[in-house]
Amino acid sequence: MKSLAELEQIRKKALEDVRLRNSEKDSTRVVVGMATCGIAAGARPVMNAFIEELGKRSLGNIKVTMTGCIGVCRLEPIVEVFEKNGTKVTYVNMTPEKAVRIVAEHLVNGRVCLDYTIGAAEK
Amino acid sequence: MRDLSLHLMDILRNCVDAGSSKVSIGLKADRDDDVLTITVDDDGRGIDPGIANCVKDPFVTTRKTRKVGLGLPLLADSARMSGGSLELVSKEKGTLVKALFSISHIDRPPLGDIGATVAGIIGAETDIRWILTFDNCNKIFSLDTDDIKKRTEGMDFSQPVIIAWIKDYVNEGLKFVFGGVLNEISC
């Protein structure tokens, strides 16, 4: 059985992760559309895939948050990535598998996965 | 919605949108009456009295993006389909949502990944104090984000490693309280 005491260990690790990446102070944000439409389309597993993958890679400076209905429910699950420089990339029809690729290619290596974006879906 | 954890996520989002600062979530199984009760108690701005009587109508909503709001109607339907009901109580400050399900009813949705729902919302909304309680056959599990705050000494716990830990912690508690299988409710 886990206990809250374990959190102290995890805290040390998390602090280490943040310290290593402190230069990138204004962190990137991953925002998942979590209204009824998003949840029904599978937004929660997508969000969990982001959290898990970011945890594995110790990317503690990237925040995963939620928002309400973005307005294009037919393209849910929708994920918006807000970068440090203020640009936004909107990914649509998301799946947990796509989330893993976005972490690797976009969030780690800075290459936007163009084929998953709203621009590609709405051509 | 495939399971109760997804309904729960939907209702918790309402608490966030209502500007709550403290939200209590309860899952309680009463074996004698065969009733599973899910309660979500917030201190947000509450439901406008003008629409309080008709929020279970899918065509009543406060959101601006479109004219339908399906969160509460879907939950009300899931509850009704499994021999239960949905009650909304407008408190002096905030709202109490109480969804009742008949545990043994064949149409009762499974519990689902409650840990993923709770950890996700805790990590995304760190300004809100979340209190979680599971209760079944004298077995109780509870989690209060104030305790987590103390343990992590005020560190921002939206860190992925911490959210992942909360998810596993809650699901372990869920298994302990509701039996060996994550999705089911037994003694």
Side-chain angles (χ1 to χ4, degrees):
Chain A
M1 191 79 190
K2 286 185 188 313
S3 84
L4 285 177
E6 284 174 40
L7 273 174
E8 280 154 29
Q9 285 298 318
I10 295 168
R11 173 177 170 271
K12 282 189 199 127
K13 185 186 177 303
L15 277 178
E16 189 73 4
D17 292 347
V18 172
R19 193 181 58 76
L20 286 173
R21 293 166 199 279
N22 217 10
S23 53
E24 304 164 60
K25 221 178 169 189
D26 317 275
S27 61
T28 305
R29 278 186 309 136
V30 176
V31 180
V32 184
M34 197 66 73
T36 310
C37 47
I39 298 167
R44 200 198 56 192
V46 169
M47 190 183 70
N48 280 99
F50 271 106
I51 292 169
E52 222 162 85
E53 196 64 17
L54 291 170
K56 264 186 219 160
R57 292 168 180 268
S58 301
L59 295 169
N61 58 325
I62 299 177
K63 297 264 174 295
V64 182
T65 60
M66 307 175 186
T67 186
C69 181
I70 296 166
V72 257
C73 305
R74 68 203 156 82
L75 296 176
E76 292 281 359
I78 299 175
V79 172
E80 296 175 318
V81 177
F82 292 87
E83 303 207 47
K84 289 174 283 258
N85 57 14
T87 56
K88 178 180 90 171
V89 178
T90 305
Y91 291 112
V92 297
N93 292 326
M94 284 294 295
T95 62
E97 292 75 24
K98 287 181 179 176
V100 172
R101 199 186 126 193
I102 288 169
V103 171
E105 291 198 12
H106 184 167
L107 300 177
V108 174
N109 292 317
R111 286 196 309 268
V112 175
C113 304
L114 286 172
D115 47 335
Y116 297 163
T117 58
I118 191 165
E122 292 289 270
K123 219 178 262 174
Chain B
M1 299 290 162
R2 289 194 184 157
D3 57 46
L4 298 177
S5 71
L6 296 177
H7 278 300
L8 183 64
M9 176 68 98
D10 209 354
I11 301 311
L12 296 179
R13 285 289 318 165
N14 289 346
C15 304
V16 173
D17 292 340
S20 310
S21 55
K22 180 180 151 197
V23 182
S24 306
I25 308 160
L27 259 78
K28 187 175 192 302
D30 187 334
R31 317 292 311 180
D32 296 333
D33 294 337
D34 192 38
V35 174
L36 171 72
T37 313
I38 300 180
T39 49
V40 175
D41 190 354
D42 74 15
D43 60 355
R45 81 175 72 87
I47 299 172
D48 182 344
I51 62 166
N53 292 326
C54 49
V55 280
K56 288 185 214 164
D57 178 343
F59 296 103
V60 170
T61 181
T62 54
R63 74 166 164 184
K64 304 288 189 294
T65 42
R66 65 196 60 227
K67 285 179 184 147
V68 289
L70 292 172
L72 286 169
L74 284 176
L75 178 59
D77 250 16
S78 273
R80 207 164 46 224
M81 263 172 26
S82 44
S85 60
L86 177 69
E87 286 169 37
L88 297 165
V89 182
S90 287
K91 303 182 299 173
E92 200 173 314
K93 191 172 186 324
T95 310
L96 168 66
V97 178
K98 209 169 166 187
L100 306 169
F101 299 83
S102 166
I103 297 173
S104 60
H105 198 289
I106 194 155
D107 285 329
R108 177 183 60 78
L111 287 175
D113 197 342
I114 302 278
T117 290
V118 173
I121 199 101
I122 288 176
E125 306 293 338
T126 48
D127 293 338
I128 299 176
R129 178 181 177 193
W130 301 95
I131 300 166
L132 174 71
T133 316
F134 299 146
D135 181 347
N136 176 35
C137 301
N138 301 321
K139 279 185 281 187
I140 289 181
F141 168 87
S142 63
L143 176 76
D144 184 333
T145 50
D146 268 9
D147 293 338
I148 300 180
K149 269 207 180 109
K150 265 182 221 146
R151 291 282 180 176
T152 55
E153 289 162 47
M155 199 184 78
D156 175 9
F157 51 75
S158 64
Q159 300 268 333
V161 276
I162 295 185
I163 304 176
W165 182 86
I166 294 174
K167 179 188 158 190
D168 292 342
Y169 183 58
V170 170
N171 276 341
E172 245 185 55
L174 193 77
K175 274 189 192 167
F176 166 71
V177 173
F178 291 106
V181 187
L182 190 57
N183 265 337
E184 271 317 315
I185 297 167
S186 61
C187 240

